[in-house]
Amino acid sequence: MDFRDFWYVVAESRELKPGQVLARKLMGEWLAVFRDENGKPAAVQDRCKHRAAQLSLGTVKNGCLSCPYHGWEYDKEGEVVAVPSEGENFKRAKSRRVQNYSTMEKDDYVYVRLQDGDEACEEPFAMRHYGEEGWHTVRLINKFQNNVTNCVENFIDIPHTVYVHPGIFRNERRQKIDVEVSRKDGAVKAIYKNETDNLGWFSKLLNPGGTEIVHTDEFFMPNVSCVEYIFGPKRHFIITSQSIPLEDDETLVYTDLTYNYGIWNKLAAPIVRWQGQAIINQDIDALANQMEVIKKYGSKFANTPADTIHVYVETIQRELERGKDPRKLPEKCVEVSMLV
Ligand code: FES
């Protein structure tokens, strides 16, 4: 098992219109993504077999991708199905095939995986409550100049919020929070025991009644984080982030802010979007700076008990880097506390 076995978002469904082709990057691979004759997403390596033109600059006709240079036509399998200069004499040949990749469409995202084979990776992560009645999702897309692991760690990191997002997310109060952190089956979960309403002015919107908050942070290998706040039986706010590795130091993050605030769902959307983007912008700057320093001095980190969740995430990512199955790591569960 390794990172190439998993599904990664390459576009929102609405971006990939019939008859269009999108250029995408995934783990350093260049992809041309389009819809076949049945409207199903297709993805091939973005390099023409003939003279190396970029296929994503071409056009889509009848579900086939036509190269912009000499017009060779590729089907969804990456096989050449027409060469204009050969006309009637054209014959299919395996040697002309470009690499194609598996695709899937789910929750209005288009997914690609670079490598098939591992049964554990048959399905992409299911976005929680997406499209369900009574729930609303605001979707944000942002590029971070850092790797997937550091992005994920940021998204499930409480202590940074009082320094990077003072006022809009949390303020420093030196309150003790107890956390149960566990690792199991390639996933990490932190349950915060005595979370308070210290969520900046936003808490007035999220939790106007000051109800006791249930807060969990989760990581699912290799690139999904899920932060969930429950403010009583009827109000949930879930932040699910899919971090897509474009390059070793470049990550595109699709963030779903999903909530159920009843009649306020639609009205709250612009505020949720603005607030979410403001917080993400601050994280983009912090993570770009972190990567600059890592490039200069390396990534050997020091840890405190508050970093336990990150340490568990890193053990999982390390196993994947070695081509091993992180689900075979021993289960862990510890209690830690932190001041926020
Ligand atoms: Fe693509 Fe010639 S380079 S058809």
Side-chain angles (χ1 to χ4, degrees):
M1 179 183 283
D2 67 46
F3 290 100
R4 293 168 68 92
D5 290 320
F6 293 85
W7 293 98
Y8 297 97
V9 176
V10 293
E12 287 186 83
S13 293
R14 64 191 175 97
E15 288 179 277
L16 188 59
K17 298 184 173 57
Q20 285 193 345
V21 53
L22 301 175
R24 288 296 188 261
K25 237 184 336 180
L26 182 56
M27 288 186 212
E29 290 290 343
W30 289 9
L31 310 177
V33 186
F34 59 104
R35 290 192 185 276
D36 69 14
E37 68 279 15
N38 300 314
K40 191 176 176 301
V44 298
Q45 192 176 67
D46 198 4
R47 177 199 186 275
C48 181
K49 206 75 178 179
H50 181 218
R51 287 293 182 275
Q54 202 170 348
L55 292 172
S56 60
L57 297 175
T59 52
V60 178
K61 290 179 213 151
N62 304 321
C64 287
L65 182 54
S66 174
C67 177
Y69 202 2
H70 309 93
W72 285 24
E73 288 178 28
Y74 294 85
D75 69 7
K76 61 189 170 194
E77 313 285 353
E79 198 171 319
V80 177
V81 293
V83 172
S85 65
E86 293 183 351
E88 300 279 295
N89 296 324
F90 167 77
K91 285 196 185 64
R92 288 182 182 236
K94 285 237 156 52
S95 58
R96 290 166 166 175
R97 195 172 167 275
V98 290
Q99 174 75 49
N100 74 319
Y101 302 100
S102 295
T103 62
M104 186 179 280
E105 204 158 12
K106 187 173 181 176
D107 299 329
D108 292 327
Y109 279 133
V110 176
Y111 289 86
V112 166
R113 69 173 172 185
L114 298 178
Q115 183 169 284
D116 294 338
D118 199 297
E119 287 175 11
C121 312
E122 284 302 304
E123 286 281 324
F125 184 82
M127 301 303 279
R128 290 178 180 171
H129 300 293
Y130 180 76
E132 287 179 18
E133 196 180 334
W135 293 79
H136 191 81
T137 295
V138 170
R139 201 159 257 186
L140 303 174
I141 307 172
N142 287 279
K143 196 177 280 184
F144 287 71
Q145 300 305 322
N146 209 316
N147 61 38
V148 165
T149 303
N150 289 333
C151 287
V152 167
E153 289 193 8
N154 170 269
F155 304 151
I156 53 176
D157 178 282
I158 284 194
H160 88 282
T161 56
V162 298
Y163 294 99
V164 178
H165 316 295
I168 63 170
F169 196 174
R170 272 195 186 83
N171 288 311
E172 190 171 10
R173 286 187 186 166
R174 312 298 294 163
Q175 285 173 333
K176 184 165 168 261
I177 294 182
D178 297 313
V179 197
E180 180 191 288
V181 191
S182 57
R183 180 187 70 195
K184 186 182 175 187
D185 287 338
V188 180
K189 184 171 191 175
I191 303 170
Y192 299 89
K193 300 284 178 65
N194 38 356
E195 175 75 88
T196 70
D197 66 348
N198 183 12
L199 299 171
W201 69 266
F202 203 32
S203 67
K204 300 278 184 290
L205 173 76
L206 296 173
N207 189 23
T211 315
E212 189 184 343
I213 298 170
V214 178
H215 171 196
T216 56
D217 286 349
E218 290 171 275
F219 163 74
F220 300 91
M221 68 175 177
N223 68 324
V224 178
S225 65
C226 200
V227 175
E228 190 159 348
Y229 290 98
I230 302 176
F231 308 100
K234 289 199 187 135
R235 294 199 165 176
H236 293 204
F237 195 93
I238 305 168
I239 307 158
T240 308
S241 304
Q242 301 210 43
S243 296
I244 312 304
L246 306 182
E247 300 282 358
D248 289 343
D249 59 355
E250 193 178 37
T251 301
L252 192 67
V253 179
Y254 292 84
T255 307
D256 276 17
L257 305 165
T258 298
Y259 54 92
N260 64 341
Y261 277 66
I263 58 166
W264 301 106
N265 275 359
K266 286 231 165 81
L267 278 175
I271 303 169
V272 169
R273 178 176 294 280
W274 179 84
Q275 176 79 359
Q277 190 59 56
I279 291 170
I280 288 173
N281 288 345
Q282 292 172 327
D283 284 329
I284 286 173
D285 289 344
L287 282 163
N289 174 257
Q290 182 192 34
M291 183 42 79
E292 274 183 48
V293 179
I294 285 173
K295 282 179 176 170
K296 173 89 178 147
Y297 289 113
S299 59
K300 196 161 170 30
F301 299 151
N303 295 305
T304 70
D307 298 304
T308 305
I309 188 169
H310 307 318
V311 171
Y312 286 176
V313 168
E314 287 160 18
T315 58
I316 287 172
Q317 302 298 72
R318 239 183 343 259
E319 288 298 281
L320 287 171
E321 276 163 22
R322 292 174 183 150
K324 293 189 173 167
D325 185 345
R327 294 170 304 166
K328 294 184 178 151
L329 286 168
E331 289 180 22
K332 295 254 190 190
C333 186
V334 295
E335 299 270 347
V336 298
S337 60
M338 63 178 82
L339 293 176
V340 178

